[in-house]
Amino acid sequence: MPLTKEEREAFLAEPHIGALSVDSGEPGRAPLTVPIWYAYEPGGELWITTERDSRKARLIAAAGRFSLMVDRLTPTVRYVSVEGEVVSTEPTTDEEARAMVERYLAPEAAAAYLKDVQPTFGPGVTIRMRPRHWLSSDMGQVG
């Protein structure tokens, strides 16, 4: 069954690992699809952070849009997929980097990540997308 607007927005707002897809820009090739952390609040824009010079950042800039799919297996099989245009790309602030890491990691792990791992990345960008097209389903319990 498709989810209601409220159900799909609430599900997307949970901290799942997303599967981001964007046109690879190469004739005869499938889209680039990679796992990614993301943030979303119901009714708002979805946002991701990535290295400014990464392949996905370049492809998103060229395409002007991307898709993101999140799913879970328990307690029921459920997914939400959104697609939309990029509405902004700006340098990632320290606050955005911290918020994203703390969304996915426990406090001690987030502090260690921000201290030891984050500095190994190049300059980041925050890319915001306005969801325009939604697909969703809750297929119930399996097994």
Side-chain angles (χ1 to χ4, degrees), residues 23-122:
D23 185 345
S24 69
E26 299 178 37
R29 294 285 310 268
L32 171 71
T33 302
V34 294
I36 196 160
W37 291 350
Y38 71 94
Y40 174 77
E41 291 189 21
E45 296 168 350
L46 180 143
W47 60 278
I48 62 166
T49 60
T50 189
E51 285 186 85
R52 180 185 63 207
D53 298 323
S54 69
R55 181 173 181 223
K56 69 180 155 287
R58 291 190 314 270
L59 292 174
I60 291 169
R65 60 190 327 100
F66 65 92
S67 297
L68 185 95
M69 190 277 301
V70 298
D71 66 343
R72 72 167 191 215
L73 298 177
T74 60
T76 61
V77 176
R78 178 179 276 197
Y79 78 90
V80 169
S81 177
V82 295
E83 184 263 332
E85 70 274 4
V86 171
V87 295
S88 70
T89 302
E90 301 290 335
T92 300
T93 66
D94 290 342
E95 293 78 21
E96 289 168 331
R98 184 176 306 102
M100 187 66 75
V101 170
E102 290 175 350
R103 174 176 164 82
Y104 285 93
L105 300 178
E108 304 80 33
Y113 184 95
L114 289 166
K115 178 180 175 276
D116 300 327
V117 178
Q118 189 79 25
T120 66
F121 297 126

